[in-house]
Amino acid sequence: MAITITPEALQKSAVKYRKELLSMLVIGLNSSLQHMTPRLGVMYKETVGEIFENAELGPYDPNRKNTDVSIVGRDLETFLGSIIKEFDPNDVYQSIYGSLTLHGEGLKGVPIEKLILAAVIKSISQKMNMALFTATRNTAGTASADLFNGFDTITKKEITDAKVSVALKNLFEFGEAITAINAVDQLKAYYRAASDELQSVPVKLFMSKDIYNAYVDDYQQTVGAVPYNREFKKTFLEGSNDLCELVALPNKKGSAYLQLTPKSNMLVGMGAGNDLEKLSVDRFSAFQVTLSMAAVFGVQYETISPERLLIGKLIVEP
């Protein structure tokens, strides 16, 4: 079945599905976002944080009042980024068609122009995903890594500002590099250094693939063929009662930090089609079309209190 893709149809789809297509930025981020919490509709800054209350029930006293309530706020800051991308819609279509399971009559109801634009946006968001931890805001930059401050960049600043430290109990410093002969003991020591509150709830342990592989290899050598060693793949940290999920991500490669925290504490702010965000398609050359897009994006910890976050500072070998 022949399908003709025209720039005019792509333009109409960009207008018709603008908000939905901009929301599709999450597609390329999904490998990370499934372990985090998206905040949609954020414009520039949104104050997040925890409410700390010193209210508690005591022996009856009609005159006692408890007014010690404080809100520790943090700014989830998103930055407006833009891209102008030229592409050949026929090349994108052929790639999409090769992966579709629908054929013949089934393709008649598929809005192929929408799929083409979504595929291009997915490739853009994959770059954002790779910068999720290491990005450093640089207004003169041109890449995703320059758009916002990633989780590791935020971590480094909090340590420099002494807001994350061993004394505050939200920082654990490893004494040696994690290897395939010590990973199990090292990661268990890290987890057990967390507050009792943090050890009592489901958490994610964000790490690189290298550290995860070291843990798996060390675990296999350490426990061997004991009955509870059911499989080579390990999803949860040994000794955590399946509360600590090991999350190995490619965007953590070479990272100097581990994050031990609940999913709800890792915030990813996006505009999701708000008024700041734009999407349009134009034709300026004979064979290619140009996608112009503006979107907002940023990340933040909801809180850095030790009850919900323990940073692991690694010894990174050169």
Side-chain angles (χ1 to χ4, degrees):
M1 179 180 66
I3 292 181
T4 302
I5 305 162
T6 66
E8 292 75 22
L10 286 168
Q11 289 171 345
K12 289 179 181 179
S13 290
V15 173
K16 182 177 180 180
Y17 301 110
R18 182 189 73 88
K19 189 168 184 177
E20 185 177 348
L21 286 166
L22 286 167
S23 297
M24 287 181 179
L25 281 171
V26 303
I27 296 175
L29 289 156
N30 188 57
S31 62
S32 298
L33 276 185
Q34 62 182 302
H35 303 290
M36 300 174 182
T37 300
R39 283 285 183 92
L40 305 181
V42 179
M43 297 177 67
Y44 293 126
K45 284 186 181 182
E46 179 178 296
T47 299
V48 298
E50 285 186 310
I51 297 177
F52 291 90
E53 296 192 40
N54 195 27
E56 56 183 311
L57 189 67
Y60 178 75
D61 181 350
N63 299 313
R64 184 178 63 244
K65 295 180 181 179
N66 194 309
T67 58
D68 187 10
V69 179
S70 63
I71 300 176
V72 179
R74 295 180 63 78
D75 286 333
L76 168 56
E77 186 172 8
T78 58
F79 301 91
L80 184 63
S82 64
I83 184 172
I84 298 175
K85 170 74 174 176
E86 281 192 334
F87 67 95
D88 184 340
N90 290 298
D91 285 346
V92 179
Y93 166 71
Q94 290 171 15
S95 176
I96 293 173
Y97 185 83
S99 64
L100 285 175
T101 56
L102 294 174
H103 297 283
E105 294 295 316
L107 279 174
K108 286 185 176 179
V110 177
I112 192 65
E113 291 83 11
K114 178 183 174 183
L115 291 178
I116 288 172
L117 294 175
V120 176
I121 291 173
K122 177 183 178 182
S123 70
I124 294 169
S125 64
Q126 285 173 338
K127 296 288 188 181
M128 293 167 65
N129 183 53
M130 291 306 295
L132 204 58
F133 286 87
T134 58
T136 301
R137 174 67 175 173
N138 176 12
T139 56
T142 60
S144 298
D146 304 310
L147 175 60
F148 61 101
N149 291 314
F151 285 112
D152 282 357
T153 303
I154 293 170
T155 297
K156 183 178 180 179
K157 185 177 187 305
E158 298 290 6
I159 292 174
T160 300
D161 293 345
K163 294 179 181 178
V164 169
S165 67
V166 174
L168 292 174
K169 300 182 180 180
N170 52 8
L171 177 66
F172 177 88
E173 295 183 335
F174 287 87
E176 56 184 314
I178 295 176
T179 69
I181 60 174
N182 67 14
V184 171
D185 288 341
Q186 292 254 52
L187 292 182
K188 285 172 69 174
Y190 170 46
Y191 178 74
R192 291 174 180 176
S195 66
D196 289 351
E197 293 87 349
L198 196 55
Q199 290 188 55
S200 300
V201 297
V203 293
K204 309 279 186 175
L205 201 173
F206 294 92
M207 61 179 67
S208 67
K209 296 281 187 180
D210 287 344
I211 290 179
Y212 175 78
N213 290 337
Y215 175 82
V216 171
D217 291 344
D218 188 29
Y219 185 92
Q220 190 70 11
Q221 295 176 52
T222 301
V223 304
V226 297
Y228 58 84
N229 186 22
R230 297 183 299 273
E231 58 182 354
F232 189 70
K233 179 183 73 174
K234 296 299 169 191
T235 306
F236 296 96
L237 181 69
E238 176 67 20
S240 71
N241 197 28
D242 287 357
L243 286 175
C244 179
E245 182 180 358
L246 305 178
V247 180
L249 298 172
N251 50 21
K252 286 290 285 179
K253 184 176 182 179
S255 172
Y257 306 104
L258 302 180
Q259 283 90 359
L260 181 69
T261 190
K263 176 180 180 179
S264 60
N265 198 37
M266 302 286 282
L267 302 182
V268 180
M270 293 175 282
N274 66 27
D275 292 341
L276 291 174
E277 299 187 313
K278 309 294 181 185
L279 178 66
S280 62
V281 175
D282 298 285
R283 185 168 195 168
F284 300 113
S285 63
F287 301 106
Q288 292 188 318
V289 297
T290 301
L291 180 144
S292 303
M293 185 175 77
V296 297
F297 191 82
V299 305
Q300 184 57 275
Y301 300 115
E302 185 174 51
T303 176
I304 56 173
S305 69
E307 291 80 14
R308 294 188 63 203
L309 175 69
L310 181 64
I311 295 296
K313 187 176 181 181
L314 297 167
I315 293 180
V316 180
E317 295 181 334

